[in-house]
Amino acid sequence: MLSRLKFILPLMAAGALLAAPTASAVPAEPAAATAPQLETIIKPKASTADHSKFKELNRNFQTGPQVTEACLICHTEAAKQVQHTKHWTWESTDPKTGQVRGKKNIINNYCTSPVSNEKDCMACHAGYGWKDDKFDFKVEKNVDCLICHDQTGTYRKLPGDAGHPVYKRVEFPKGSGKFVEPADLKKVAQSIGMPTRSNCGSCHFFGAGGNGAKHGDLDASLQHPGKYLDVHMDEKGLNFTCTTCHATSSHEVSGSRYNVAAAVKGPAHIRGKQDESPAACQSCHSDKPHHEAMLNQHTEKLACQTCHIPEYARNEIGTEASWDWSQATIMGADGKPMVSKDSAGRRKFDSKKGTWVWDSYVIPEYRWYNGVSTYKVIGDKIDPSKTVQINEVGGAPGDADSRIWPTKVHRGKQPYDKVNNYLTVQHTAGEDHTALWHNYDWQKAIGAGMKAAKLPYSGEYGFVDTEMTWPITHMVAPKHDALACEQCHSKSGRLQGIEGVYLPSRDSNKWLDMIGWTLVMLSLIGILIHGGLRIYTGKNKGQHK
Amino acid sequence: MNAVNRRIYLYNRYERFWHWSQALLVILMMITGFEVHGSYKLLGFGNAVNLHTVAAWTLLTLWAFTIFWQFTTDEWKQYIPSLKKVDAMVRYYAYGIFLNAPNPFHKTAAKKHNPLQRLAYLALLSMVSPVIWGSGLFYLFYSSWKSLGIDAWLSLEAVAFVHTAGAFMMLVFFIAHVYLTTTGHTPTAHIKTMVTGWEEVD
Ligand code: HEM
């Protein structure tokens, strides 16, 4: 008997042990399955060309276009390549819907539209001289090579110069007492290198005109990030640059919110493979990156980002949650324009622009998303009785190409044409008498903006609530900071409003629960009565005949 | 409690081991299962899932041995139902027990369970267990549904429904079962028997 037991016990234990690894749902220790480890990441190597040794660049350049002409002597195809990209055209055609979007064509709920404001906005155009609708997109010397390739960190483009860098010492912002020095274009040209985080960040960290304002997952803290903020860009760790993921060929940068690879399937990519979406997590990690089947199975419903970016704007820089343009043109008590900041020093009110609400460590809003967004482009009709969606994110529960994505939803209140029912283009920036930021007159600003956009304006404007939805994909947290199971698997978890999935712990059949617990209660009451009666009749004390 | 008492050896070592380890596992499965279900928070969802799954595999292993044991020892015959004396048992539990009437059933090594017990255990074996196991195995292999083509005709919601229904049945059985163990000649007599194997009979 004893020997039989001895035999059985270990077998049972073995059975349980064998079973355990198939069962575990909580990540086992080292979970980075397919991504290359630290030691194997190749540090950026020095280029084979030292640009300071080229006689073509050993000149005192007066302007940006002069530098570009010098670049093109050797890089004969570079400008043509750039001219095919969004960085140049500010236009993007959706491969699925055919809709033509891009900064040039949409109206967002931050600065709204560059149209009629080109002189300011084009500080972030990879070109020189786009100041109105007469800009010639074929002139090669107007491609700005330096904004992406400068390695001195001295090359700056300011609003007002239509994309030209600072050529003369200038006070910026005006009246601030701070001055920006012109860059030595010769030094800049001789410093040339591959784009670093600062190059990309000089525009992309400051979208909507403020550090972190627009994206929420992109801000200047990514210049020197620690591991907590970004496990890939961690300066002391993997130290990725933007282009490590946004792999680029022929100046075409991969990965774009206009065309998101929302549900990449299959194994990690290898060198030589045709790569459709190198910027997606799966291109290094595959769609089965965990040791546990149960976790891998989650990738059929969830984007990686959903668990691995538990919060965005994870710093004091924060990001804008809302922008209310209807408050613009309100003056201070003295009748003069005024500005104010919130307790963290972030813009809160500006008579030119309205009010903002900022947020840090933001919990994303989750949406089914298939990577296709349909935008409101200039002239699209709106229904002002509802919150206007600047972009409708496509996708549906159960759709094979949709995943649950984390998003930043930016809420706005912005002008629209009350008769024609479309969002308006307004002339905000500039020194002329119609510019909102100069004369604080909405009527004139909208009139001028609509004229530039070649759109009829009824003369009646109002303000409408808008929402813009941004998929969150940067600031990937270290694995220990990823969401824990119960943050979604619970009654009031992150995915509360997400339909189309049965989520154990969140979902259950109300009827079954009611009937089940009623039966349980009834049996408990039954034994209480039965047991009570037994005690009461006092005849169950062990004595028997 | 006097000299007329006889002791019989009712449950051998394996039987007791099997009973108590099954009891432990089922309690664990109920605690973790209803947490997974969302009825309360105790261990955390992830831990509950892991424990529930390990317990499921352990129970499966235990059952494999126990089924083997039942058939090699002929003990399975203990579950053959008989309707004889069922009415007497019902009457006993319904009022005889309060009147200090004698238990109409006398345990022997060949007949360990009273007729009502036999019916209850048979119901557990033939209804509750298949419901829980069938649905539990589907649940367990959810990550393979796609490759097996199961996702085309089965939803997790349905599996969870059936499994939870089984869990409620198990819980009700458990409550009644634990209560009935107190109906021996002392409240703990049946439990002692299952621990030592020895039953005092008159
Ligand atoms: C006394 C026995 C058991 C009880 C009381 C029980 C109870 C439960 C309950 C209430 C749930 C939650 C269902 C939901 O709301 O989604 C659950 C989940 C589950 N049960 Fe059971 N169960 C038992 C036995 C088993 C067995 C034998 C298996 C496997 C063969 C199993 C596998 C599972 C699985 C896989 C889940 C889903 C949780 C997960 O993801 O691992 N259960 N159980």
Side-chain angles (χ1 to χ4, degrees), chain A residues 23 294 502 504-505 507-508, chain B residues 25-27 29-38 45 48-50 52-53 55-57 59-60 132-141 156 160-161 163-164 166-168 170-171:
Chain A
M294 196 52 97
Y502 178 81
S505 215
D507 300 325
S508 62
Chain B
L25 287 169
V26 167
I27 291 168
M29 303 213 69
M30 291 191 296
I31 293 173
T32 52
F34 280 106
E35 172 157 21
V36 171
H37 185 60
F45 182 87
V49 166
N50 284 346
H52 197 78
T53 314
W57 284 110
L59 198 57
L60 199 66
I132 291 200
W133 279 105
S135 57
L137 282 170
F138 274 109
Y139 216 145
L140 213 50
F141 286 98
L156 188 59
F161 180 91
H163 196 69
T164 309
F168 276 121
M170 180 64 91
L171 180 54

Side-chain angles (χ1 to χ4, degrees), chain A residues 430-442:
Chain A
E431 302 292 323
D432 57 284
H433 75 286
T434 60
L436 186 73
W437 298 344
H438 198 62
N439 275 328
Y440 300 91
D441 183 333
W442 271 114

Side-chain angles (χ1 to χ4, degrees), chain A residues 344-381:
Chain A
R346 308 174 291 203
R347 65 187 185 186
K348 183 179 174 188
F349 175 79
D350 187 331
S351 298
K352 289 177 177 171
K353 302 177 182 176
T355 51
W356 299 275
V357 175
W358 286 75
D359 211 348
S360 286
Y361 302 91
V362 191
I363 292 180
E365 297 179 41
Y366 299 92
R367 301 270 192 276
W368 283 102
Y369 183 41
N370 63 2
V372 181
S373 284
T374 310
Y375 282 79
K376 287 274 172 301
V377 300
I378 294 173
D380 277 355
K381 289 283 177 195

Side-chain angles (χ1 to χ4, degrees), chain A residues 228-309:
Chain A
Y228 165 76
L229 186 69
D230 193 305
V231 73
H232 299 108
M233 296 175 90
D234 172 18
E235 213 172 22
K236 297 204 182 70
L238 296 170
N239 203 18
F240 280 19
T241 63
C242 306
T243 51
T244 312
C245 297
H246 291 275
T248 298
S249 78
S250 308
H251 285 95
E252 188 66 64
V253 181
S254 65
S256 163
R257 78 186 151 92
Y258 279 116
N259 182 24
V260 171
V264 180
K265 292 159 201 131
H269 296 178
I270 52 167
R271 280 190 288 179
K273 182 179 164 174
Q274 273 291 342
D275 209 334
E276 278 181 6
S277 42
C281 312
Q282 292 90 337
S283 62
C284 291
H285 292 279
S286 89
D287 67 346
K288 305 228 175 338
H290 312 98
H291 292 306
E292 300 82 8
M294 196 52 97
L295 284 183
N296 283 338
Q297 183 263 318
H298 281 68
T299 65
E300 283 168 25
K301 298 278 182 343
L302 302 175
C304 311
Q305 289 87 339
T306 295
C307 297
H308 292 279
I309 310 176

Side-chain angles (χ1 to χ4, degrees), chain B residues 101-120:
Chain B
N103 190 323
F105 176 74
H106 301 279
K107 286 188 187 179
T108 64
K111 271 196 191 146
K112 298 170 180 172
H113 310 311
N114 75 47
L116 213 53
Q117 249 180 317
R118 282 178 180 237
L119 281 182

Side-chain angles (χ1 to χ4, degrees), chain A residues 201-521:
Chain A
S202 68
C203 288
H204 293 279
F205 294 161
F206 299 95
N211 191 2
K214 190 186 270 180
H215 293 263
D217 59 350
L218 289 178
D219 62 45
S221 65
L222 288 172
Q223 238 140 36
H224 304 286
K227 193 170 176 182
Y228 165 76
L229 186 69
D230 193 305
V231 73
H232 299 108
M233 296 175 90
D234 172 18
E235 213 172 22
K236 297 204 182 70
L238 296 170
N239 203 18
F240 280 19
T241 63
C242 306
T243 51
T244 312
C245 297
H246 291 275
T248 298
S249 78
S250 308
H251 285 95
E252 188 66 64
V253 181
S254 65
S256 163
R257 78 186 151 92
Y258 279 116
N259 182 24
V260 171
V264 180
K265 292 159 201 131
H269 296 178
I270 52 167
R271 280 190 288 179
K273 182 179 164 174
Q274 273 291 342
D275 209 334
E276 278 181 6
S277 42
C281 312
Q282 292 90 337
S283 62
C284 291
H285 292 279
S286 89
D287 67 346
K288 305 228 175 338
H290 312 98
H291 292 306
E292 300 82 8
M294 196 52 97
L295 284 183
N296 283 338
Q297 183 263 318
H298 281 68
T299 65
E300 283 168 25
K301 298 278 182 343
L302 302 175
C304 311
Q305 289 87 339
T306 295
C307 297
H308 292 279
I309 310 176
E311 291 167 352
Y312 61 91
R314 288 200 302 279
N315 54 39
E316 285 89 76
I317 294 170
T319 189
E320 273 171 22
S322 66
W323 182 333
D324 181 356
W325 276 97
S326 73
Q327 305 296 304
T329 71
I330 292 176
M331 297 293 168
D334 55 358
K336 288 200 183 122
M338 65 166 208
V339 292
S340 68
K341 304 208 158 175
D342 73 6
S343 59
R346 308 174 291 203
R347 65 187 185 186
K348 183 179 174 188
F349 175 79
D350 187 331
S351 298
K352 289 177 177 171
K353 302 177 182 176
T355 51
W356 299 275
V357 175
W358 286 75
D359 211 348
S360 286
Y361 302 91
V362 191
I363 292 180
E365 297 179 41
Y366 299 92
R367 301 270 192 276
W368 283 102
Y369 183 41
N370 63 2
V372 181
S373 284
T374 310
Y375 282 79
K376 287 274 172 301
V377 300
I378 294 173
D380 277 355
K381 289 283 177 195
I382 60 162
D383 175 358
S385 67
K386 294 200 204 100
T387 299
V388 174
Q389 299 300 320
I390 298 288
N391 60 330
E392 310 265 3
V393 295
D399 162 18
D401 292 322
S402 295
R403 297 289 179 273
I404 298 165
W405 269 77
T407 67
K408 169 184 172 175
V409 179
H410 181 256
R411 295 178 163 88
K413 196 167 192 181
Q414 66 197 90
Y416 76 106
D417 184 323
K418 279 174 103 167
V419 176
N420 291 313
N421 279 339
Y422 36 58
L423 298 173
T424 55
V425 170
Q426 31 280 335
H427 179 45
T428 49
E431 302 292 323
D432 57 284
H433 75 286
T434 60
L436 186 73
W437 298 344
H438 198 62
N439 275 328
Y440 300 91
D441 183 333
W442 271 114
Q443 203 55 273
K444 283 185 188 161
I446 296 172
M450 295 300 265
K451 200 169 156 211
K454 301 185 180 71
L455 214 59
Y457 172 48
S458 69
E460 277 183 62
Y461 69 92
F463 290 90
V464 63
D465 289 324
T466 58
E467 280 181 5
M468 188 171 189
T469 308
W470 297 74
I472 291 295
T473 192
H474 306 104
M475 296 189 179
V476 175
K479 62 173 180 272
H480 295 297
D481 292 340
L483 286 188
C485 310
E486 34 275 297
Q487 285 175 279
C488 297
H489 288 278
S490 64
K491 295 271 183 263
S492 49
R494 296 267 181 120
L495 297 186
Q496 224 174 349
I498 290 287
E499 285 168 13
V501 277
Y502 178 81
L503 203 58
S505 215
R506 182 193 72 169
D507 300 325
S508 62
N509 186 295
K510 304 290 165 262
W511 285 101
L512 179 63
D513 280 353
M514 208 178 74
I515 295 169
W517 291 120
T518 307
L519 285 177
V520 169
M521 285 314 291

